[in-house]
Amino acid sequence: MTAQLIRPATYLVFAVGPFMHRVDITTKDIGATIGTELSYAGVNGLGSSRVPLVSYRPGTRYHDRAEECAAEHLTTALGRVQLSTRVDATDVTTLALCLAEVVQEDGCRLWDPSAKDGDSW
């Protein structure tokens, strides 16, 4: 299963059974690096609310490279998890945990977007 990066509105899509699921990417300049947030947006992005999956620092200064890294990380995580045809809360939680593991294995640092400047994980 692979994740496809869609631009200029930056989000990722992946198929589970007959449905296309959407993960939104938000990047933020946080000083010497870019902060990246991935959130699950439901089938075709029609979810009523976004579910945060992982927030991290990919170690780049460029938004487009951070988005490409997010696609690679999501593809790797999707290869490790078994999602049911109807993605539910358990599947989203499993995906979030796997994503956190994948980004740390890649040398990225987890990031808390709500933390004050100077606070880090």
Side-chain angles (χ1 to χ4, degrees):
M1 196 175 326
T2 60
Q4 180 181 1
L5 179 60
I6 308 295
R7 285 188 174 138
T10 50
Y11 60 91
L12 302 163
V13 293
F14 63 94
V16 178
F19 303 106
M20 294 299 291
H21 296 267
R22 177 173 159 169
V23 173
D24 290 337
I25 304 172
T26 305
T27 56
K28 179 180 177 184
D29 190 341
I30 54 173
T33 188
I34 298 295
T36 303
E37 298 176 67
L38 300 181
S39 55
Y40 179 72
V43 175
N44 295 326
L46 299 175
S48 58
S49 64
R50 305 295 183 254
V51 178
L53 295 173
V54 67
S55 299
Y56 63 100
R57 300 174 182 182
T60 182
R61 284 280 313 133
Y62 305 102
H63 292 274
D64 58 342
R65 180 64 190 133
E67 293 163 357
E68 292 166 2
C69 289
E72 294 167 11
H73 293 143
L74 183 60
T75 298
T76 302
L78 288 169
R80 294 184 186 180
V81 298
Q82 189 73 0
L83 301 177
S84 63
T85 303
R86 300 190 73 169
V87 175
D88 59 11
T90 302
D91 290 327
V92 173
T93 302
T94 302
L95 182 58
L97 291 171
C98 190
L99 267 168
E101 182 179 314
V102 167
V103 299
Q104 290 180 85
E105 286 175 359
D106 195 33
C108 304
R109 292 183 54 197
L110 294 179
W111 168 59
D112 181 3
S114 62
K116 296 181 177 111
D117 292 341
D119 291 347
S120 82
W121 287 14

